[in-house]
Amino acid sequence: MKVCIYGAGAVGCYLAGRLHQGGATVSMVARGATFAAIAAEGVTVHTPAKHLHARVEVAEDPAALGPQDMVLVTVKAPALPAIAPGLATLLGQETPVCFVMNGLPWWYFHAHGGPHEGQRLPRIDPGDIMWRTVGPERALHGVIFASCDIERPGVVHIETAQTALHLGEPAGTTARAEALAALLRDTDFTVTAEPNIRARIWSKLQTNICSGLFGCLADSPPRAIYSDPAVADAVRRVVAEVGAVAAALGHPSPLDAEALLGRARSQGHKSSVVQDLARGAPIEFDPMFGGPQALARLAGVPTPTLDLLIALVKARAISVGSYSEPEEPVP
């Protein structure tokens, strides 16, 4: 299978190493120093259990790679509008596109059923650019649990001993997800094809919303702040509020707040949104925070703790140039 990974950050390089190990013909789209490093030395992944090295084809211009059997998008959400033209050049007639990204996906209400069926999310997909370029029928989504950092361009360190990836698509079918999963699975990498990917999306959102909001305010990883009783109580409230939104929309999350707090003891890794905010880079504000908040309004679910934390983080993000209010209205 020819698989192109659009985005050569930590997650993209990790998946490139795993796919190469699984027998896929892997290519990547990268830029600048990352492109040069991968072209010269390939991709290297250091995990607690093994070291992976993959020589892969890499291009700055996606059109040079041609249509693929599968595309994985691993860029951050603010980059989606910019990559749309290049992404289109990788698509054959039936090429599926798997978005392994944090936050609420742009296709969320496709094949959802109920009163919101087909509703667009302009804060996440401005101008419907992904809806028009990729189309929700091609879309898959990946929910990944892996603490990873870039040591240098093309070289990734994985902190998590047992990583996990949950794959699925809007309509709940699993054949395409299983074909991808089969290339990625390993003894230290659990990969599942999920008939209800939305429930997994909500559970990851609960985790990321907490680590992101509290982390942005404290500039700290969960291990440093969740042990405080007041913070732990606020984490419980946020998990409950976001869980109520998921349930109201018909996809209850399996996440338990006490389990989340327990895992925090070993989480000394700042989330990517915290790292981006600290350096004034664009953050995934709407997919991670604003989008779920808008869906809470849509579902009529009160979220007072979430609202307060989002307001505080938004003010900080605007002040350092990491976020600006979109012109499009909330859904």
Side-chain angles (χ1 to χ4, degrees):
M1 182 186 290
K2 289 177 60 180
V3 184
C4 180
I5 300 175
Y6 205 125
V11 170
C13 287
Y14 179 46
L15 295 176
R18 291 292 190 181
L19 284 165
H20 181 268
Q21 176 186 248
T25 301
V26 182
S27 60
M28 302 186 77
V29 179
R31 296 181 303 170
T34 302
F35 162 77
I38 294 174
E41 300 179 8
V43 169
T44 301
V45 180
H46 302 293
T47 81
K50 62 185 66 176
H51 300 299
L52 304 173
H53 184 260
R55 285 284 185 179
V56 301
E57 185 177 4
V58 61
E60 291 188 295
D61 180 3
L65 300 173
Q68 303 289 309
D69 298 320
M70 173 87 70
V71 177
L72 275 63
V73 176
T74 59
V75 301
K76 294 184 179 180
L80 284 178
I83 73 164
L87 183 56
T89 68
L90 298 171
L91 305 182
Q93 188 172 357
E94 297 183 356
T95 306
V97 181
C98 183
F99 294 82
V100 187
M101 300 170 61
N102 286 326
L104 197 68
W106 56 270
W107 53 259
Y108 185 83
F109 283 118
H110 173 69
H112 184 275
H116 307 302
E117 169 63 37
Q119 185 160 334
R120 312 296 173 86
L121 300 175
R123 279 183 176 256
I124 298 170
D125 187 22
D128 290 341
I129 192 163
M130 283 296 108
W131 199 283
R132 291 183 288 106
T133 301
V134 175
E137 296 83 4
R138 291 182 187 266
L140 286 81
H141 196 77
V143 178
I144 191 165
F145 293 89
S147 295
C148 46
D149 291 299
I150 299 174
E151 294 183 1
R152 61 181 188 275
V155 180
V156 177
H157 167 73
I158 308 299
E159 180 179 317
T160 316
Q162 186 69 39
T163 53
L165 174 64
H166 305 289
L167 300 166
E169 54 187 287
T173 52
T174 57
R176 296 186 300 182
E178 179 54 40
L180 178 58
L183 294 170
L184 290 164
R185 287 191 184 104
D186 200 355
T187 54
D188 59 342
F189 192 26
T190 302
V191 188
T192 62
E194 300 280 342
N196 183 5
I197 192 62
R198 290 179 179 86
R200 294 289 188 181
I201 289 169
W202 281 110
S203 67
K204 182 70 180 292
L205 274 169
Q206 288 168 301
T207 301
N208 282 352
I209 285 171
C210 289
S211 64
L213 290 176
F214 291 107
C216 284
L217 293 173
D219 191 24
S220 300
R223 185 170 64 193
I225 51 177
Y226 284 14
S227 57
D228 184 289
V231 176
D233 186 55
V235 167
R236 293 184 185 98
R237 294 199 302 273
V238 171
V239 169
E241 289 174 5
V242 177
V245 179
L249 292 172
H251 299 280
S253 165
L255 183 73
D256 176 74
E258 300 310 315
L260 173 62
L261 289 168
R263 289 198 299 270
R265 298 188 190 99
S266 62
Q267 292 176 335
H269 181 273
K270 290 182 185 179
S271 69
S272 61
V273 70
V274 176
Q275 296 177 52
D276 288 341
L277 183 64
R279 57 191 180 90
I283 63 170
E284 299 170 292
F285 184 89
D286 285 308
M288 294 269 285
F289 311 135
Q293 184 184 40
L295 264 59
R297 303 287 180 272
L298 198 66
V301 175
T303 54
T305 309
L306 182 68
D307 296 345
L308 172 62
L309 295 170
I310 285 176
L312 293 172
V313 170
K314 180 190 291 186
R316 184 180 174 203
I318 290 172
S319 73
V320 300
S322 290
Y323 179 69
S324 58
E325 288 278 12
E327 296 180 2
E328 300 247 19
V330 299

